Amino acid sequence: MENETTTPPAKPSARTKILEAALSVIRTKGYSATTVDDLCAAAGVTKGAFFHHFKSKDELGVAAANFWAEMTGALFAGAAYHQPSDPFARILAYLDFRIALLGGDVPEFTCLVGTMLQETYDAIPAIGAASYASIEGHADTLAKDFEAAIALYGSPGCPGAKSLALYSQAVLQGAFILAKGQGDAAIVRDSVSHLRRYLCLLFNKPEEIQL
Amino acid sequence: MENETTTPPAKPSARTKILEAALSVIRTKGYSATTVDDLCAAAGVTKGAFFHHFKSKDELGVAAANFWAEMTGALFAGAAYHQPSDPFARILAYLDFRIALLGGDVPEFTCLVGTMLQETYDAIPAIGAASYASIEGHADTLAKDFEAAIALYGSPGCPGAKSLALYSQAVLQGAFILAKGQGDAAIVRDSVSHLRRYLCLLFNKPEEIQL
DNA sequence: GACGACATACCAACTAGTCGGTATGTTATT
DNA sequence: AATAACATACCGACTAGTTGGTATGTCGTC
């Protein structure tokens, strides 16, 4: 019935099943340690189907990064955190939304493209580039709210919108790494609360600090 | 002259050469994509030597994490940033030191254990645990300065020393990931300056903010 | 002459990728 | 509307090369 991807097909095609499997398998095992057979088994398709849709494992990697960008792009675009009319309130709501996304086990809330970028930036530049593009694309949506917040509440010497947006992503990515060491999301929550405190101090909103 | 590893040998033994090779090769290619042959070639030793010193590739991974902890532990313990008598000044000096360490290409300044933790936390828990222990051990040395700084300058509601130390590591780890996407260290410098600004705001040291 | 530190040769298992084949459309011509 | 020509989606056995790991040999030193 409903369907809105780039390609016209409407059924749970093998391609989509492989892509969806890739999101979870690669986040758990990493890109290099994930075999094509792993992906096929998780997706419930055969190797023939895999290589029908993707020329190589690396091409699947690039497609997975783009698929991730589409999925998360839609998720964030449709989220309620855009509702506040005040841009700083939207930023705080964004952070709350990131916290709300932390359900489930570690591989379920960590970032596919952060993981892939780390592994592939040197050996498989195409995957690294697609992964970074996904992160930067997301940061750019955040940067718009920062831009507006700076215009309203920024003091002289305030860092730029893009810089703040990228820093926010760095904090999240770093927290995900530590979460993998600790086995749960506590450190992500803690790191986001530091980030929130920083932004409140920076934009002179002391009343918003505690949560 | 000096030597303090688990084994007594003092010459550039095969074991040491393999460990040193591991630091650079794994940071470049990632753990899974690094083959034992890669390591042997980079170290200039044969496979026989490799398996003489390490029972398996995974054992080398654990040893590399511990080796990294020793190396970086010595580097930071011997650094000049401990000199200031004021604990907050020591923290700022620590951040400056992290910036000073950013020379060279991306694989040369990024963190081995952050990379390995990301890849191995689920599939090879021993490596993940050793990697996280290295990060946490480093954070603990930082936490001491935070403890003292909080005692001197902390306001009510100030986050704990350990939390601040771990957050600092998360910022660095996340910035390293983005640096891999951008191809240089600029984002690390930028992220550290955000962290510095946060700490200055938190500890009420506005005069230290800009650099 | 025994033992630790390495070298050389080798293997079994696994991996990405191929290839011939089938089933199910789609399109166009008659 | 029937049919020929072609395209798309998928299957699963196969292969060539790679990988972690082993077995055995050599050499220097205590």
Side-chain angles (χ1 to χ4, degrees):
Chain A
M1 297 97 185
E2 82 307 324
N3 190 292
E4 216 53 59
T5 42
T6 47
T7 42
K11 285 173 293 185
S13 67
R15 185 186 159 89
T16 306
K17 285 195 286 182
I18 292 167
L19 251 7
E20 268 158 8
L23 299 196
S24 94
V25 178
I26 295 176
R27 278 191 287 174
T28 303
K29 310 182 64 169
Y31 176 79
S32 302
T34 296
T35 69
V36 173
D37 285 330
D38 285 341
L39 259 10
C40 293
V45 305
T46 62
K47 222 163 176 183
F50 183 97
F51 284 101
H52 173 72
H53 291 287
F54 306 101
K55 266 192 276 201
S56 66
K57 185 192 169 187
D58 287 356
E59 192 182 285
L60 173 273
V62 173
N66 294 333
F67 185 66
W68 176 263
E70 282 173 34
M71 293 289 104
T72 58
L75 175 67
F76 285 104
Y81 72 85
H82 300 288
Q83 287 173 0
S85 56
D86 181 79
F88 188 73
R90 287 199 295 275
I91 290 165
L92 295 186
Y94 167 79
L95 296 181
D96 291 341
F97 185 58
R98 295 302 306 240
I99 296 293
L101 253 24
L102 293 177
D105 226 345
V106 172
E108 293 164 51
F109 64 74
T110 49
C111 176
L112 175 81
V113 290
T115 301
M116 290 207 300
L117 175 53
Q118 179 106 317
E119 279 186 83
T120 63
Y121 76 105
D122 184 87
I124 317 165
I127 298 180
S131 297
Y132 183 70
S134 170
I135 295 175
E136 193 180 24
H138 179 62
D140 283 342
T141 70
L142 235 197
K144 288 179 187 165
D145 286 335
F146 273 118
E147 194 99 47
I150 290 168
L152 274 180
Y153 309 112
S155 41
C158 179
K162 179 104 186 199
S163 174
L164 283 163
L166 285 174
Y167 178 66
S168 303
Q169 299 313 302
V171 168
L172 286 162
Q173 294 293 343
F176 288 153
I177 291 188
L178 296 202
K180 288 175 182 176
Q182 298 185 168
D184 68 68
I187 184 74
V188 183
R189 277 183 268 272
D190 203 47
S191 293
V192 171
S193 92
H194 281 291
L195 176 57
R196 180 193 175 98
R197 194 179 291 108
Y198 172 49
L199 298 175
C200 289
L201 291 166
L202 195 59
F203 289 103
N204 237 311
K205 294 277 191 176
E207 72 280 9
E208 301 281 8
I209 284 185
Q210 79 169 344
L211 179 83
Chain B
M1 299 98 185
E2 81 306 325
N3 190 294
E4 215 54 57
T5 43
T6 46
T7 42
K11 285 173 293 183
S13 66
R15 184 186 160 89
T16 307
K17 286 195 285 182
I18 293 167
L19 252 6
E20 269 158 7
L23 300 196
S24 95
V25 178
I26 295 176
R27 279 191 287 173
T28 303
K29 310 182 63 167
Y31 177 79
S32 301
T34 296
T35 70
V36 174
D37 286 329
D38 286 340
L39 260 9
C40 293
V45 305
T46 62
K47 226 166 174 180
F50 183 96
F51 285 101
H52 174 71
H53 290 288
F54 306 100
K55 265 191 276 199
S56 66
K57 183 191 170 187
D58 287 356
E59 192 183 285
L60 173 274
V62 173
N66 294 332
F67 185 66
W68 176 264
E70 282 173 35
M71 292 289 104
T72 58
L75 174 66
F76 285 103
Y81 72 84
H82 301 288
Q83 288 174 359
S85 56
D86 180 80
F88 188 72
R90 287 200 294 275
I91 290 166
L92 295 186
Y94 167 78
L95 295 182
D96 291 340
F97 184 58
R98 293 305 304 242
I99 296 292
L101 253 24
L102 293 178
D105 226 345
V106 172
E108 293 164 50
F109 63 74
T110 50
C111 176
L112 175 81
V113 290
T115 301
M116 291 206 301
L117 175 53
Q118 179 107 323
E119 279 187 85
T120 63
Y121 76 105
D122 184 88
I124 317 165
I127 298 181
S131 296
Y132 183 70
S134 170
I135 295 176
E136 193 180 24
H138 178 63
D140 283 341
T141 69
L142 235 197
K144 287 178 186 164
D145 286 334
F146 273 118
E147 194 98 48
I150 291 168
L152 274 181
Y153 309 111
S155 42
C158 178
K162 178 105 186 198
S163 174
L164 283 164
L166 284 174
Y167 178 65
S168 303
Q169 298 314 302
V171 168
L172 286 161
Q173 294 292 342
F176 287 153
I177 291 188
L178 297 201
K180 289 175 182 176
Q182 299 186 168
D184 66 70
I187 184 73
V188 183
R189 277 183 267 270
D190 202 47
S191 293
V192 170
S193 93
H194 281 290
L195 177 57
R196 180 194 175 98
R197 193 179 291 107
Y198 172 50
L199 297 175
C200 289
L201 291 166
L202 195 59
F203 288 104
N204 237 312
K205 293 277 190 176
E207 73 280 9
E208 301 280 10
I209 284 185
Q210 79 170 346
L211 177 79

